[in-house]
Amino acid sequence: MSFFTSCQQQANEAIVATPRFSEPVKQLNVSYGPDSLQRMDVYLPAGRSASITKSIVLLHGGGWNSGSKSDLVTYIDSFKRRLPDYAIFNLDYRLVSGNHIFPTQEQDVQQAFEFIAANSAEWGISKNDVAVLGISAGAHLGMLQAYKYNAPIKVKAVVDFFGPTDLTEMYRKPWHNMIPFLMQALTATTPDQKPEVYEQSSPAYFVSPQSPPTLIFQGSADPVVAKSQSLLLEAKLNAANVPNELVVYPNAGHGWYGSTLTDSFDRIEAFLQKHM
């Protein structure tokens, strides 16, 4: 196919697609599975196109056993302003309980990505230009999705807000006496009993030269996820020659607000402009 024929075909496709995708769409609590927590909020921009419209998937934190997508609703308007041409997906996933230990949460995220891929043409978005942003436990899940799985969507960029990266290291060198109990509740085992479970649940073990560019945010005074987890990830990414940025905010804890959060959003915008 010649360059001019290709351009004409794309123009014809745009003409056909424009009326259908010309208006923004907001769909709340869209089911991607049968459980009441397998839900996502979908925000689609006006003037979107299945060939060029990028997406960002948001994953809330809460130690895998609490939190919800409603925690990130206040961020949606900011993302819409900064990324006006992006589709935004804000996910819930099943929380850790007696019936839903890990890797239930990992499987939910994978299922949600499969759902997004299956509906990309219907929504008028590209399934080849997808970023994931997670907070704490959500960042852990987002990194697992990005580093372990290449289909049906290969994640193109990762934004990690203080996510756990090596669960074995967390268990063996806890910076809080509750950390080992949290790990056992999550996995129903220990790294001594089943080291493979901890390895399969740790994003750092899956970093490779094919991993997507990653933006890491960390508070130097985080009492929940130690700075060492982000430094470990940075080292793995550097060793694999994966583009990455580590931003450490002095004296910040497990989350921040105000001008520091604004700075984070500024950096996210610049990072996605560069890598998406």
Side-chain angles (χ1 to χ4, degrees):
M1 180 183 294
S2 72
F3 172 78
F4 294 104
T5 303
S6 175
C7 288
Q8 183 61 51
Q9 180 176 332
Q10 290 177 9
N12 291 339
E13 289 174 353
I15 291 171
V16 172
T18 297
R20 183 179 175 191
F21 302 135
S22 60
E23 297 299 322
V25 171
K26 176 181 177 180
Q27 298 175 336
L28 302 181
N29 295 313
V30 176
S31 300
Y32 65 85
D35 193 273
S36 61
L37 283 177
Q38 292 175 309
R39 300 289 185 269
M40 65 172 71
D41 296 340
V42 178
Y43 304 86
L44 307 176
R48 59 196 178 277
S49 162
S51 61
I52 63 171
T53 297
K54 303 168 185 177
S55 302
I56 185 166
V57 178
L58 310 182
L59 295 166
H60 70 82
W64 302 281
N65 59 16
S66 64
S68 77
K69 59 184 171 61
S70 63
D71 298 339
L72 300 182
V73 166
T74 56
Y75 296 168
I76 298 297
D77 284 343
S78 179
F79 285 130
K80 282 183 176 180
R81 289 193 303 272
R82 293 171 177 275
L83 308 169
D85 298 327
Y86 274 65
I88 301 171
F89 299 91
N90 190 16
L91 268 59
D92 266 336
Y93 48 85
R94 287 174 290 179
L95 303 174
V96 170
S97 66
N99 296 325
H100 298 312
I101 62 169
F102 211 78
T104 297
Q105 297 69 37
E106 177 184 346
Q107 292 165 350
D108 279 1
V109 173
Q110 189 176 18
Q111 188 169 338
F113 271 76
E114 291 171 351
F115 182 82
I116 292 169
N119 287 278
S120 59
E122 177 67 23
W123 283 330
I125 61 172
S126 169
K127 70 175 183 179
N128 299 315
D129 297 289
V130 180
V132 63
L133 180 154
I135 312 291
S136 192
H140 165 261
L141 297 175
M143 287 186 285
L144 280 177
Q145 179 66 33
Y147 301 156
K148 285 182 75 171
Y149 305 106
N150 290 324
I153 291 175
K154 180 173 173 56
V155 173
K156 203 166 182 178
V158 175
V159 180
D160 158 31
F161 276 93
F162 39 83
T165 62
D166 186 332
L167 302 195
T168 302
E169 191 76 3
M170 286 183 70
Y171 187 94
R172 297 199 189 285
K173 298 178 181 179
W175 46 91
H176 189 285
N177 58 12
M178 290 303 296
I179 295 291
F181 296 102
L182 176 61
M183 295 293 95
Q184 288 184 58
L186 177 67
T187 63
T189 189
T190 72
D192 294 321
Q193 295 168 333
K194 292 186 177 181
E196 70 280 3
V197 170
Y198 277 68
E199 291 179 7
Q200 287 295 312
S201 304
S202 297
Y205 282 85
F206 296 93
V207 170
S208 75
Q210 289 71 48
S211 296
T214 302
L215 175 59
I216 309 164
F217 290 110
Q218 179 70 49
S220 66
D222 191 329
V224 180
V225 177
K227 179 182 173 183
S228 60
Q229 291 283 299
S230 290
L231 293 174
L232 186 153
L233 177 62
E234 180 192 35
K236 290 273 190 176
L237 292 167
N238 286 338
N241 293 315
V242 176
N244 69 91
E245 299 174 30
L246 171 60
V247 181
V248 179
Y249 292 112
N251 303 316
H254 198 66
W256 43 82
Y257 303 92
S259 60
T260 305
L261 185 60
T262 299
D263 180 77
S264 298
F265 284 175
D266 288 343
R267 292 175 183 272
I268 291 168
E269 184 179 359
F271 181 80
L272 294 181
Q273 286 176 350
K274 180 178 181 180
H275 294 290
M276 290 288 288

